[in-house]
Amino acid sequence: MGNIYGYIRVSSTDQNEDRQRVALQGKGIRPEDLFMDKQSGKDFDRPQYQRMVKKLKPGDLLYILSIDRLGRNYEEIQRQWRVLTKERGADICVIDMPLLDTRQGRDLMGTFIADLVLQILSFVAQNERENIRKRQAQGIAAAKARGVKFGRPPRPLPENFHSAYQRWKARKITCTAAAKECGMPISSFRYRAEIYEKSSIL
């Protein structure tokens, strides 16, 4: 009997991993054998996942709550499944999908069913990821149409900006000198000057 490990993934630091943690600890996994990444499932370049893979040995068992916690990229899920089961020689059990338990159904039919289920679920995981991205893009577009501003608000202009801008426009000083007076990079001065000019016209 090998070691038992668990893997947890949440998409961001704001998401709560408690549901996954409770489910995995219910399988008798020690806290030190739980690996968790707070990262997107688009690929497998995750520090704790890579650390876990290196620890896996033939006969070990890996629990995950659901296939989308492993990842959301169809081809990468398939490839990593082979890495874990073939190259590392470990078993995998997906708690939410009992058919995806490599300890069961090792005959030809069992393997065929497990492979089929894995393909379907990994496709669903990627499809959901793409739908999420599409909904986010639509939400951002709708917010912009309502006038919602994204990103950090611009820093306030220095008090001497108007004076420096007027002398620069009158060709009394160079753009470099005006930017230096305002304590700004030349590119920032030009950018803010363009906005300032448009707002003055309006």
Side-chain angles (χ1 to χ4, degrees):
M1 182 66 182
N3 296 319
I4 302 176
Y5 297 103
Y7 180 68
I8 297 170
R9 184 188 66 78
V10 290
S11 296
S12 70
T13 54
D14 296 330
Q15 289 188 329
N16 195 313
E17 74 276 5
D18 287 351
R19 178 170 171 263
Q20 295 178 69
R21 190 179 295 277
V22 168
L24 294 174
Q25 287 178 340
K27 296 296 182 181
I29 304 170
R30 298 178 304 173
E32 59 266 32
D33 290 329
L34 283 176
F35 295 83
M36 181 177 71
D37 285 305
K38 293 196 172 186
Q39 208 166 324
S40 165
K42 66 179 180 179
D43 58 45
F44 285 83
D45 187 19
R46 310 176 213 138
Q48 290 301 306
Y49 178 81
Q50 295 298 333
R51 181 168 161 254
M52 178 196 71
V53 171
K54 289 177 182 177
K55 290 195 73 170
L56 286 173
K57 303 184 302 296
D60 287 347
L61 173 61
L62 171 64
Y63 279 104
I64 56 173
L65 180 58
S66 57
I67 199 68
D68 64 340
R69 297 306 88 200
L70 186 62
R72 286 188 178 275
N73 181 299
Y74 177 75
E75 291 182 356
E76 277 295 302
I77 292 174
Q78 303 279 323
R79 193 174 75 81
Q80 288 299 316
W81 190 274
R82 288 192 293 272
V83 168
L84 297 171
T85 59
K86 306 298 183 188
E87 295 180 19
R88 308 304 298 184
D91 279 309
I92 307 176
C93 177
V94 180
I95 298 172
D96 280 358
M97 180 55 62
L99 282 172
L100 288 180
D101 184 343
T102 59
R103 298 169 300 173
Q104 311 296 328
R106 292 181 181 273
D107 60 4
L108 185 61
M109 181 57 72
T111 302
F112 171 76
I113 292 173
D115 285 349
L116 187 61
V117 172
L118 174 63
Q119 288 187 40
I120 293 170
L121 290 181
S122 54
F123 172 79
V124 169
Q126 175 166 332
N127 194 53
E128 177 60 17
R129 174 173 169 261
E130 291 173 357
N131 285 337
I132 289 171
R133 290 176 61 187
K134 191 181 294 182
R135 288 195 295 268
Q136 287 173 338
Q138 290 171 345
I140 290 170
K144 284 182 176 178
R146 295 196 306 272
V148 176
K149 303 290 185 184
F150 290 90
R152 291 180 299 179
R155 295 173 64 178
L157 291 172
E159 291 182 5
N160 64 336
F161 182 85
H162 177 76
S163 170
Y165 169 80
Q166 292 294 341
R167 284 183 290 127
W168 170 62
K169 290 296 287 184
R171 300 181 184 274
K172 292 180 179 179
I173 58 174
T174 64
C175 182
T176 302
K180 189 173 182 181
E181 278 188 27
C182 296
M184 303 167 70
I186 296 176
S187 57
S188 297
F189 180 82
R190 286 185 179 279
Y191 175 70
R192 298 301 293 273
E194 186 178 336
I195 296 174
Y196 183 78
E197 186 173 334
K198 287 179 180 177
S199 63
S200 298
I201 294 172
L202 293 173

